[in-house]
Amino acid sequence: ALGTVLDAAAFPSSDQKKLIAFVQSKQGDQDEDLELSAPAAATYKTHSGGIVEVLEDMKEKAETELADMRKAEINTKHNYEMLKQSLEDQVAADTKDMDDEKAAKAASEEAKATAESELEMTNKDLAKSKEELETAHSTCMQVAADHEETVASRTAELKVIMEAKKILEDPSSGGAPSGCFLQMAAATR
């Protein structure tokens, strides 16, 4: 029963052995005292000094262990607070980075939407410009063809006029002498 009490009190094994030995020696002394009548004054010795020493030693050990445990608890608490602060700082930094990335992403998406809109408008303008270029090209080709036809027609007319003039100026070809054109009548429509 005494061993169970000592185990529950968490005494070190060396202190438990000392207490058990001391209690057993006291029980032995009590048994002897019961068997005998009162001991003689000269033969009776007090054993209370051994208990006091054991208890003082146990008290010192307990106080030392308590101080060590308090110191360890303070160190553990300090380490916990440092770790907690470090983690909170890291979370704050990561949250700020995430917010910055979200803002940059939103700005990029907005810039992309604007660029896509401008690209669509530019593509429409390009298609319209190509259509106008094609129209202008076909118009120019038509004007050039018409001009060539007109030039060819004028060239043919000039050639005919030159031949007619040559015929009229040459008396040997049977033409009228120069200056003989006389208007006989005029008609109006």
Side-chain angles (χ1 to χ4, degrees):
L2 180 61
T4 307
V5 170
L6 292 176
D7 286 339
F11 288 123
S13 62
S14 61
D15 291 338
Q16 287 180 6
K17 288 178 184 177
K18 287 180 185 179
L19 279 175
I20 290 173
F22 179 74
V23 169
Q24 287 174 350
S25 70
K26 286 298 182 184
Q27 282 180 347
D29 288 346
Q30 285 179 353
D31 290 344
E32 288 176 12
D33 287 344
L34 291 176
E35 289 176 6
L36 303 174
S37 57
T43 61
Y44 179 74
K45 291 181 181 177
T46 177
H47 292 59
S48 63
I51 289 179
V52 172
E53 287 175 11
V54 169
L55 290 176
E56 285 178 357
D57 187 36
M58 287 174 52
K59 180 182 175 188
E60 283 180 27
K61 286 182 182 179
E63 287 174 350
T64 303
E65 288 179 12
L66 180 63
D68 290 345
M69 290 179 139
R70 285 181 177 162
K71 187 176 181 181
E73 181 181 1
I74 289 170
N75 287 338
T76 303
K77 184 177 180 182
H78 176 72
N79 290 341
Y80 167 77
E81 292 296 329
M82 295 295 287
L83 178 62
K84 178 182 172 187
Q85 184 63 43
S86 172
L87 291 174
E88 286 174 350
D89 292 345
Q90 184 65 40
V91 166
D94 289 346
T95 301
K96 183 183 180 301
D97 289 345
M98 184 175 70
D99 291 343
D100 291 346
E101 290 297 324
K102 284 181 180 179
K105 180 182 176 190
S108 296
E109 287 176 352
E110 184 177 333
K112 178 185 173 191
T114 302
E116 286 176 347
S117 174
E118 289 175 359
L119 177 63
E120 185 178 337
M121 291 182 69
T122 302
N123 285 338
K124 285 180 182 178
D125 289 345
L126 178 62
K128 184 178 177 183
S129 295
K130 283 182 178 181
E131 185 180 318
E132 289 173 355
L133 176 64
E134 186 62 35
T135 301
H137 183 264
S138 65
T139 302
C140 284
M141 294 303 283
Q142 184 62 42
V143 168
D146 291 346
H147 178 69
E148 285 180 19
E149 189 178 308
T150 303
V151 167
S153 174
R154 284 189 184 152
T155 303
E157 286 177 5
L158 286 175
K159 188 176 181 184
V160 169
I161 290 174
M162 290 301 247
E163 283 182 28
K165 185 177 175 186
K166 195 178 191 185
I167 292 173
L168 287 176
E169 288 178 353
D170 187 15
S172 63
S173 64
S178 58
C180 292
F181 287 107
L182 184 60
Q183 182 175 356
M184 301 299 270
T188 60
R189 294 185 203 178

